[in-house]
Each structure stands twice: as C-alpha cells, then as structure tokens.
Amino acid sequence: MQHINWNSRLLVIRGPKGVGKSTLMQQYIKQHFPAGDRHVLYCSADTNYFSTHTLLDLAENFVMMGGQWLFIDEVHKYPGWSREIKEIYDLYHELHIVLSGSSLIQINDGQADLSRRLMPYDMPGLSLREFIHLDTGLDIKPVSLDQLLDNPSKVCMDIISKCHPLEHFARYRQFGYYPFYFEEKQDYYDKLENTVNYIVDVELTKYRSLDVGYTRQVKALLHVISQMTPYEVDISKLSKASGISRQSTLKYLTNMEEANLIRRVFTNLMTVTDLQKPDKIYLDNPNLLYTLSLEKPEIGTVRETFFANQLASAGHKVEYAGYKKGDFRIDGDIVIEVGGQDKGFSQVADQENAYVAADDIESAYMRKIPLWAFGFLY
C-alpha cells in the first residue's frame, strides 16, 4: 500500500488471483475515508449491475453526485474496459480512478492505448516477513538487498531478537504465499488448486487465446514442472510428457509466466526472444510446488523456488549465473548459490560479489546468509 502513488489520476493494481488485490483496495478506502463517505465508491466489474449499465454510466452518475474516487475491481472482466476507462479519464479531470485486474490484463489492447495515462503496480503474494506479521502480529520492517548483503549478521540478529524465523519458514513455504490461508486453513491446497484451474481454464483461454482443448495438457505441463529439478530443462521431454508440440510448449511457458504460475530463468534477460528455451524453470512460488507435486517436492527445488520468488517479487532482476558459476545472478552483478546448511563456497570461489544462501541456519557468518533472510525484502 505504501509503494503506490495513490495521487495518480489513473492506476491499476495487477496480480494473480488470490493475492489480495480486492482486500488492498477496500483496506485503503477504510483507512482514508470515513464510514458513509459518498465521495468514494467501490464496485466490482463482474457483478450483474454491469449487464445493464456501462462503466461510463456509472462514472457519469457518480461524478454528478459529487464522486471523487472510483475503485473498480476485476476490471478485466468487463468487455472493452480500456476504451471506456480512457473516455472517463478524459471527461472527468477531478476523478481519481483505481482499477484492479489479472496479471494478464493488457493495458494496450488495441481498443485504447492507456500506457501514457495509466500507472501500473504489480502485486505479489505475501513475503515471509508479511506472513509472520499476519500470523503473529509482529511488525518487522523490510530490509533492502544492499542492507542484507552489506551487514548480514546485524540484519539477522535484529530479526532474531524479535522472533525465530525458522519456526515459521517451513510453514510459509508450504502455505504462506496466498493470504487466503488465514481464512480457510484446512482447505488451502484445494482452494489453491481451484485458483490454478481458474487461471488456466478461464484467464489463459480468454486473454491469451489458449485453445480450450489444450487446457488439460497445460495442467499436465504444470505437473511435470513440479516434478523437475531446475537444472534439467529439456523442452523435448516437456513436450512429450505433456502431449504438446515443442513450439506450443515454449509459447505456453511464456503465457504461464505472465499468469504468475511459473518462473523462467535465463542467462541474459536482455537478449531473450519470445520462443527461447529458458535455462531454468520453476513454479512461481513454493506453495504451488506443494499443491501440484504428486510427491513431496525435492528440497533443493523448494529452496531455489523460494529464493527466485522473493527476489523477483521485491523487484530484483533474477538470472541464471551459468554452469558451475552459482545458481543465480541478481541485478547483473551479484552471484548467489542456494543450498542447505553445509553448502560451501566451492562453486562460487572464483566469483566476485558472491554469497551463499543457506537453509536451516539461523545466523549469518561472513558471506553465508540464512535463506530465510531473503524473505524480509518486502
């Protein structure tokens, strides 16, 4: 909430289903407007009201009644939304418009180019820090990556003085990324699987032209990825296992990443082409691993999935460091090897600005940093 410039006349909060976009909008209204304030209106674009009314009708009537802040949830479900939002923006200069939509929402969809008007914000799921806050009430401030790498011992000791992160870390990796865990704990995996099915069956078919006949194969592809070790990316095997052609497999991998279901990692993001084979493939977050994997996920995959997710969610560029050069290169010049508590520096010994992110340790020692500490970046 603090990162969004709410003074923008037009902004959109994008993110995968279930990360809390609707709750964020409603919380902002509750915190900044008194109860019963008629200058602010929240509505969802997927309600029956819009079967007989337009967004333009709504905005016109609202402004005539003195409306100043219009929050429209699930705007991507309204056909031709961008054209009408552009018209509302141009007509009512005093109106602030806040939208929320799917990760797959297209700001420039051919109907109306909003790219010069609309300020987008991408909302990830919960970080480990946020999970601990919601679970225990502890309000620990986030740290920057520079702060963590410059003085890992101090950062870790400051956090350890308030809680024992390892007490929460295993639970977070299994069911801490989506905030609906705190509503229905016993049904978490069922609800998350339903979310995945909705993204594939509805959003990918509607917004990325996925043929309905291929939805089962795309789900099979997700299950295959959940069983993979990240260093074994074989597109031909993926294609054969899921029953999808090689070229379609590469296309669907791109679409699934746009939907925040997977994460593709490349050696050099600057030169990536649309149908290029990734160097590594992960599910987007560890919770998806535990939901989709038919067996208990391999711990090395869980660790790397967590690390890549938290760094990317905090806004950092995550790339593959290269064969025998470390697991990840962050922001172009930081090399980090991820492993268990006994992981040494042999693989990154000749690398400058290299660190080890080690699981199952509580404190940092020189350039060996607890893996959990990377969950406090946002």
Side-chain angles (χ1 to χ4, degrees):
M1 190 182 290
Q2 290 74 27
H3 290 191
I4 294 175
N5 179 12
W6 297 96
N7 291 320
S8 298
R9 276 191 55 212
L10 177 59
L11 62 92
V12 61
I13 303 165
R14 303 179 298 196
K17 185 176 176 61
V19 294
K21 301 183 296 297
S22 304
T23 302
L24 175 68
M25 294 170 74
Q26 294 172 28
Q27 285 178 334
Y28 181 82
I29 294 170
K30 186 175 181 179
Q31 290 182 17
H32 293 84
F33 300 91
D37 192 331
R38 309 297 291 180
H39 297 100
V40 58
L41 176 65
Y42 168 90
C43 62
S44 183
D46 64 349
T47 56
N48 286 334
Y49 173 87
F50 289 107
S51 62
T52 55
H53 299 79
T54 66
L55 290 174
L56 196 56
D57 292 336
L58 174 75
E60 181 181 6
N61 291 328
F62 181 50
V63 170
M64 285 195 301
M65 298 295 290
Q68 299 172 354
W69 286 80
L70 180 58
F71 289 75
I72 305 174
D73 204 0
E74 304 276 13
V75 72
H76 61 284
K77 295 183 179 179
Y78 182 94
W81 68 271
S82 60
R83 184 177 60 252
E84 290 192 37
I85 291 296
K86 178 180 181 295
E87 193 166 349
I88 293 168
Y89 177 90
D90 292 338
L91 283 173
Y92 306 111
H93 294 173
E94 302 304 315
L95 183 65
H96 289 266
I97 308 163
V98 181
L99 312 172
S100 85
S102 162
S103 305
L104 297 170
I105 196 169
Q106 292 180 297
I107 293 172
N108 181 8
D109 64 356
Q111 297 180 13
D113 185 3
L114 291 171
S115 57
R116 291 180 293 107
R117 298 171 174 83
L118 189 147
M119 180 70 68
Y121 290 91
D122 293 306
M123 183 175 178
L126 299 175
S127 66
L128 172 61
R129 182 193 72 85
E130 291 173 319
F131 173 75
I132 292 174
H133 172 64
L134 289 178
D135 200 35
T136 67
L138 285 172
D139 190 10
I140 302 172
K141 301 300 181 188
V143 298
S144 70
L145 182 61
D146 286 341
Q147 287 174 316
L148 178 59
L149 299 183
D150 286 346
N151 198 341
S153 295
K154 181 181 185 303
V155 169
C156 292
M157 289 307 297
D158 286 346
I159 296 171
I160 293 167
S161 68
K162 299 179 178 70
C163 72
H164 292 289
L166 287 176
E167 177 186 354
H168 309 278
F169 192 27
R171 289 192 303 120
Y172 169 79
R173 293 189 295 198
Q174 292 179 50
F175 39 65
Y177 190 68
Y178 298 89
F180 55 74
Y181 164 74
F182 294 98
E183 298 171 357
E184 303 172 36
K185 295 182 180 181
Q186 68 277 13
D187 299 322
Y188 182 75
Y189 288 136
D190 289 338
K191 193 166 183 178
L192 183 49
E193 188 163 7
N194 289 338
T195 298
V196 172
N197 289 336
Y198 177 85
I199 291 171
V200 175
D201 294 337
V202 178
E203 294 194 339
L204 284 179
T205 56
K206 185 173 183 179
Y207 305 116
R208 290 299 180 271
S209 302
L210 171 66
D211 191 313
V212 174
Y214 280 97
T215 56
R216 289 183 67 237
Q217 284 95 327
V218 169
K219 292 174 190 175
L221 187 57
L222 281 170
H223 281 286
V224 172
I225 293 171
S226 73
Q227 313 291 328
M228 290 170 49
T229 48
Y231 50 83
E232 292 180 352
V233 177
D234 188 323
I235 297 299
S236 296
K237 285 185 179 179
L238 269 180
S239 173
K240 185 176 180 180
S242 57
I244 306 172
S245 70
R246 189 181 191 280
Q247 187 166 359
S248 293
T249 297
L250 290 168
K251 175 189 172 185
Y252 294 153
L253 289 176
T254 301
N255 295 156
M256 287 192 290
E257 183 173 55
E258 291 174 319
N260 294 110
L261 290 175
I262 68 166
R263 184 177 314 282
R264 301 174 303 158
V265 179
F266 298 90
T267 302
N268 188 348
L269 283 172
M270 297 295 291
T271 61
V272 171
T273 59
D274 286 344
L275 295 179
Q276 182 174 329
K277 181 181 84 69
D279 293 287
K280 290 187 176 184
I281 304 175
Y282 302 92
L283 290 181
D284 179 75
N285 60 79
N287 292 188
L288 288 173
L289 261 178
Y290 283 96
T291 301
L292 298 177
S293 181
L294 300 177
E295 300 175 356
K296 185 177 180 180
E298 199 272 324
I299 187 60
T301 304
V302 175
R303 290 165 178 159
E304 291 186 31
T305 301
F306 164 80
F307 181 87
N309 170 269
Q310 296 289 279
L311 270 290
S313 296
H316 294 282
K317 184 169 71 171
V318 178
E319 296 173 308
Y320 177 46
Y323 181 63
K324 292 188 176 181
K325 292 183 179 179
D327 289 316
F328 299 101
R329 186 171 64 251
I330 308 300
D331 297 334
D333 63 347
I334 303 166
V335 175
I336 298 184
E337 175 76 6
V338 177
Q341 59 183 331
D342 297 325
K343 172 66 71 173
F345 287 87
S346 59
Q347 197 157 339
V348 293
D350 59 343
Q351 301 288 313
E352 293 184 13
N353 208 14
Y355 303 82
V356 167
D359 198 5
D360 299 319
I361 64 172
E362 188 174 57
S363 303
Y365 175 70
M366 299 182 69
R367 291 183 296 135
K368 191 170 187 175
I369 304 171
L371 180 60
W372 61 257
F374 294 92
F376 284 75
L377 299 179
Y378 72 94

